[in-house]
């Protein structure tokens, strides 16, 4: 289980981004982290996967543990060895390398090297589109294919926890639906998933439990099926509302947030 | 025609040396965005180490060269570990400036160990021995230089293109953060890159010291003449480095023979300037080099 308690993160020691976030991801679950731009979702993902130091960020308070082991102080390589993998926002595939080379790079960690062949085959079985393009330069793939590659590449290390940071951003609805299936598929094979999203519809649909992060704080959380019925969530995150109220969104959200906080 | 062929071989030999230096330069640039101004000093230190190892009568020449390569690999990795790693995540220009001081330290180390005198570079073959093929004459040294460069760069290309480690190194060069996120040992691979750059530089230094037949502390500057090769080829392209290096060697040797005499007194040493003229022309016409990409603008 991933358990985060009262997590505080700051960049350059002065830009405080997370203000006491607590969150739990049970083993085998799909948990979504939903929130608007700049809420701190990516920051939380970095704190778990160990990428904060690269951004001159650090955990200034609270704890992060995977099972009974604290992750604080471990570098990204140690966390990867513990079974934590992250698909970064924006896909970030190695554009100058072929599809297959991307997968090999993803399986370069010590424990993964001996599974290289099996897992490459698994990846191609899961994403036939990638198999067809295995010798192509990854930079020439479509956005959806690049996202598939980013996920396949992260799976090469055989992770127990997969963090997906906005995997559907900028993709066509049909691709989004496909990826929704991929996430369910990955999860059904035993991988725990923490899904960071702005797209509430997808997040609530694919996850068991959802946290809503705004301005560095968890303002709401609950079973995804329940949140889906919540009128406020419907209004502010699912966009289900009467035509005229849309422009009021920001005002409303502000008021709403106040209520959640109290 | 014979004359042209002979000059071409001499030019390719000089070009092979430039290519070795340029490939090392490009590897560091690609993997960490740094302009490594210490690359020339790797050549100097390597050449002096080789004079020491080759002078040990017990060591056959190829073994001495291998030992030089290994020691320089350790030197390069050490520099990454002790100095450059501290600068990871900082803007590349800071690291680039630090390499100037690293180069300075290396040249001070050479002066301290070897003094300011020159040292003969021993060779197992007669260095002025002329080989003749179909009427074309060239020195054995030229031939060995070209062959060693081909073997080294060929091996490196194989490792980079075909092995998982090479792919991981290219991954680090492509997107460092993504490599971190995948648990790739980024720092260790960056260290390896520095080690390779240093040993390529060292081999270049060894052969560079065979042309005037001695290793001198000024060799770092000689090696700096390889810089136009990198500009011509494109900062992030190893293939460009080889083509740029070869072009540079040919330009210098042919230029010295065909251009200098026509310029009278002005022509003395003009072939050395020629390379920089071509470099500036490239900067104006094709600023990313023959094989460069626009990505350079990010830096
Ligand atoms: N390296 C950094 N240095 C300083 N501040 C940063 C850094 N990275 C992010 N921030 C700030 O932290 C806050 C949260 O950013 P973060 O990227 O975590 O948000 P997010 O929820 O992922 O947003 P988005 O949906 O746009 O991806 C923002 O205000 C951002 O400006
Ligand atoms: Mg984000």
């Amino acid at each position: 289980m991933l358990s985060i308690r009262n997590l505080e993160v700051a960049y350059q020691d002065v830009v405080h981004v997370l203000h006491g976030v607590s969150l739990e991801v049970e083993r085998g679950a799909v948990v979504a982290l939903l929130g608007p731009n700049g809420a701190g979702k990516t920051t939380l993902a970095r704190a778990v996967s160990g990428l904060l130091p690269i951004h001159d960020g650090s955990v200034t308070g609270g704890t992060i543990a995977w099972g009974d082991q604290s992750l604080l102080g471990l570098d990204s390589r140690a966390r990867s060895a513990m079974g934590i993998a992250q698909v970064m926002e924006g896909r970030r595939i190695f554009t100058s390398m072929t599809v297959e080379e991307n997968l090999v790079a993803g399986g370069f960690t010590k424990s993964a090297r001996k599974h290289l062949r099996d897992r490459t085959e698994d990846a191609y079985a899961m994403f036939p589109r990638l198999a067809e393009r295995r010798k192509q330069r990854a930079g020439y793939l479509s956005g959806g294919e690049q996202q598939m590659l980013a996920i396949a590449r992260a799976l090469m290390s055989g992770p127990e926890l997969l963090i997906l940071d906005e995997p559907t951003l900028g993709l066509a609805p049909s691709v989004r639906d496909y990826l929704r299936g991929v996430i369910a598929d990955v999860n059904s094979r035993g991988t725990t998933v923490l899904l960071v999203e702005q797209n509430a519809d997808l997040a609530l649909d694919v996850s068991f439990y959802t946290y809503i992060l705004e301005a560095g704080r968890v303002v709401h959380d609950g079973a995804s099926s329940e949140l889906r019925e919540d009128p406020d969530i419907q209004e502010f995150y699912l966009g289900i509302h009467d035509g005229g109220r849309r422009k009021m969104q920001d005002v409303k959200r502000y008021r709403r947030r106040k209520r959640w906080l109290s | 025609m014979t004359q042209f062929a002979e000059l071409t071989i001499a030019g390719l030999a000089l070009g092979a040396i430039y290519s070795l230096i340029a490939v090392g330069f490009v590897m560091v640039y690609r993997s960490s965005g740094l302009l490594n101004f210490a690359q020339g000093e790797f050549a100097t230190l390597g050449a002096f180490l080789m004079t020491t190892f080759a002078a040990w009568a017990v060591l056959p020449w190829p073994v001495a060269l291998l030992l030089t390569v290994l020691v320089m690999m350790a030197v390069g990795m050490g520099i990454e570990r002790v100095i450059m790693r501290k600068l990871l995540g900082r803007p590349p220009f800071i690291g680039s400036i630090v390499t100037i001081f690293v180069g300075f330290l290396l040249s001070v180390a050479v002066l301290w160990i070897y003094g300011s005198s020159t040292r003969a570079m021993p060779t197992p073959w007669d260095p002025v021995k002329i080989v003749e093929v179909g009427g074309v004459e060239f020195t054995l040294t030229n031939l060995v230089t070209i062959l060693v460069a081909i073997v080294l760069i060929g091996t490196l290309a194989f490792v980079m293109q075909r092995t998982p480690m090479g792919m991981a190194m290219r991954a680090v060069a492509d997107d460092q953060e993504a490599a971190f996120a995948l648990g790739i040992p980024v720092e260790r691979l960056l260290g390896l890159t520095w080690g390779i750059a240093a040993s390529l530089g060292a081999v270049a230094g060894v052969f560079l010291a065979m042309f005037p037949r001695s290793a001198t502390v000024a060799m770092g500057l000689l090696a700096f003449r390889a810089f136009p090769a990198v500009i011509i080829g494109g900062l992030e392209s190893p293939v460009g480095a080889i083509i740029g290096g070869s072009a540079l060697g040919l330009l210098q040797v042919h230029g010295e023979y065909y251009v200098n005499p026509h310029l009278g007194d002005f022509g003395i040493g003009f072939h050395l300037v020629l390379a920089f003229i071509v470099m500036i022309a490239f900067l104006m016409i094709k600023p990313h080099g023959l094989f460069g990409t626009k990505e350079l603008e990010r830096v």
Side-chain angles (χ1 to χ4, degrees):
Chain A
M1 185 173 80
L2 175 72
S3 64
I4 297 176
R5 291 209 200 297
N6 302 319
L7 183 67
E8 293 175 25
V9 170
Y11 291 105
Q12 288 113 40
D13 293 328
V14 288
V15 188
H16 295 271
V17 172
L18 297 183
H19 313 278
V21 172
S22 296
L23 173 157
E24 279 182 358
V25 184
E26 292 283 357
R27 257 180 216 268
V30 178
V31 169
L33 182 65
L34 199 57
N37 284 117
K41 306 181 296 295
T42 297
T43 301
L44 184 130
R46 286 176 184 153
V48 178
S49 60
L51 293 177
L52 280 179
I54 300 169
H55 294 274
D56 201 5
S58 56
V59 172
T60 52
T63 58
I64 310 174
W66 175 235
D68 48 16
Q69 248 193 306
S70 170
L71 296 182
L72 297 179
L74 299 179
D75 63 10
S76 57
R77 199 151 58 88
R79 298 186 201 205
S80 163
M82 286 170 64
I84 296 170
Q86 184 188 353
V87 173
M88 282 192 291
E89 193 177 338
R91 324 196 230 290
R92 306 287 287 271
I93 51 153
F94 303 123
T95 52
S96 74
M97 296 162 56
T98 65
V99 167
E100 185 133 325
E101 288 170 346
N102 266 269
L103 296 180
V104 174
F108 186 69
T109 56
K110 208 185 245 165
S111 57
R113 252 170 267 178
K114 53 181 172 290
H115 302 292
L116 188 59
R117 191 156 303 191
D118 300 347
R119 287 187 185 149
T120 307
E121 288 316 311
D122 289 349
Y124 288 145
M126 193 167 190
F127 301 104
R129 293 267 281 280
L130 295 182
E132 290 163 25
R133 291 161 175 72
R134 62 172 81 189
K135 298 288 176 216
Q136 262 182 40
R137 251 178 89 136
Y140 298 140
L141 299 179
S142 73
E145 288 161 354
Q146 291 193 5
Q147 189 63 59
M148 292 175 208
L149 179 57
I151 294 173
R153 186 181 65 175
L155 291 175
M156 291 297 289
S157 63
E160 291 171 43
L161 172 66
L162 183 66
I163 305 166
L164 296 167
D165 195 350
E166 304 209 31
T168 65
L169 193 68
L171 299 179
S174 62
V175 183
R176 210 182 289 159
D177 286 339
Y178 176 76
L179 288 173
R180 186 189 306 231
V182 167
I183 294 168
D185 193 17
V186 167
N187 178 245
S188 72
R189 293 171 193 214
T191 308
T192 307
V193 176
L194 175 58
L195 174 65
V196 173
E197 261 300 342
Q198 276 194 62
N199 183 319
D201 191 35
L202 177 114
L204 292 173
D205 184 50
V206 80
S207 67
F208 310 153
Y209 201 88
T210 296
Y211 291 85
I212 293 176
L213 191 71
E214 284 184 6
R217 289 185 173 84
V218 172
V219 291
H220 203 60
D221 65 287
S224 302
S225 52
E226 282 167 26
L227 289 196
R228 188 173 267 287
E229 303 307 318
D230 186 310
D232 294 316
I233 302 291
Q234 287 187 347
E235 181 175 354
F236 305 126
Y237 284 95
L238 293 170
I240 300 168
H241 46 64
D242 315 330
R245 280 164 69 190
R246 179 154 217 152
K247 290 187 193 70
M248 297 289 287
Q249 204 180 31
D250 290 335
V251 182
K252 284 273 187 178
R253 183 189 294 169
Y254 176 68
R255 219 187 287 151
R256 188 69 218 160
R257 191 193 298 157
K258 285 230 144 158
R259 213 173 340 138
W260 279 339
L261 281 176
S262 58
Chain B
M1 199 57 220
T2 313
Q3 184 64 50
F4 184 81
E6 286 173 1
L7 287 174
T8 299
I9 290 174
L12 285 176
L14 186 59
I17 293 172
Y18 287 149
S19 299
L20 287 170
I21 294 171
V23 168
F25 195 92
V26 165
M27 283 197 68
V28 170
Y29 180 80
R30 270 184 51 120
S31 63
S32 49
L34 300 181
L35 301 173
N36 174 21
F37 294 107
Q39 187 68 23
E41 300 306 331
F42 289 150
T44 316
L45 181 57
F48 275 100
L49 284 175
M50 181 66 184
T51 63
T52 302
F53 295 146
W56 291 350
V58 284
L59 288 183
W61 195 85
V63 176
L65 186 62
L66 186 66
L67 194 59
T68 304
V69 165
L70 292 179
V71 171
M72 287 305 292
M73 167 114 9
V75 168
M77 291 172 83
I79 287 169
E80 189 279 332
R81 183 80 189 80
V82 177
I83 302 170
M84 305 319 295
R85 192 171 296 185
K86 306 279 183 294
L87 302 170
L88 212 66
R90 299 282 205 88
F93 79 88
I94 294 179
S96 302
I97 288 167
V98 168
T99 66
I100 297 176
F101 293 96
V102 170
F104 185 64
L105 280 177
L106 288 176
S107 59
V108 167
V110 169
L111 269 175
W112 186 57
I113 302 170
Y114 293 97
S116 57
S117 57
T118 62
R119 292 200 162 210
M121 174 59 68
T123 51
W125 60 87
D126 176 1
V128 288
K129 181 174 166 60
I130 303 288
V131 185
E132 201 228 282
V133 179
V136 179
E137 295 183 336
F138 48 88
T139 66
L140 196 52
T141 303
N142 279 345
L143 193 64
V144 175
T145 307
I146 294 170
L147 288 179
V148 168
I150 289 174
V151 168
L152 271 184
I153 293 176
T155 309
L156 182 62
F158 177 82
V159 170
M160 294 303 288
Q161 294 302 319
R162 294 271 173 263
T163 68
M165 191 172 71
M167 291 170 202
M169 288 175 78
R170 279 155 57 211
V172 172
D174 233 24
D175 189 331
Q176 203 174 85
E177 188 184 5
F180 268 117
L182 292 168
I184 292 174
V186 175
E187 287 104 337
R188 216 186 298 155
L189 294 176
L190 285 176
L192 194 59
T193 306
W194 275 86
I196 292 170
S199 40
L200 290 178
V203 174
V206 167
F207 285 96
L208 197 58
M210 276 179 205
F211 286 84
R213 286 221 57 222
S214 56
T216 74
V217 272
M219 264 178 46
L221 287 176
L222 286 179
F224 213 63
R225 287 198 194 131
F227 198 67
V230 181
I231 300 292
I232 294 170
L235 268 172
E236 64 282 300
S237 164
V239 176
I242 297 163
I243 290 175
S246 306
L248 188 62
L250 289 169
L251 199 66
Q252 273 191 24
V253 173
H254 283 298
E256 184 172 16
Y257 188 81
Y258 292 112
V259 182
N260 285 13
H262 301 294
L263 299 174
D265 286 346
F266 180 68
I268 299 166
F270 180 73
H271 61 290
L272 297 176
V273 185
L274 194 58
F276 286 93
I277 293 175
V278 172
M279 176 180 94
I280 289 166
F282 258 88
L283 282 175
M284 290 193 295
I285 301 161
K286 219 169 169 345
H288 306 296
L290 285 172
F291 295 86
T293 61
K294 285 235 168 55
E295 262 186 306
L296 207 138
E297 280 163 9
R298 271 195 334 214
V299 178

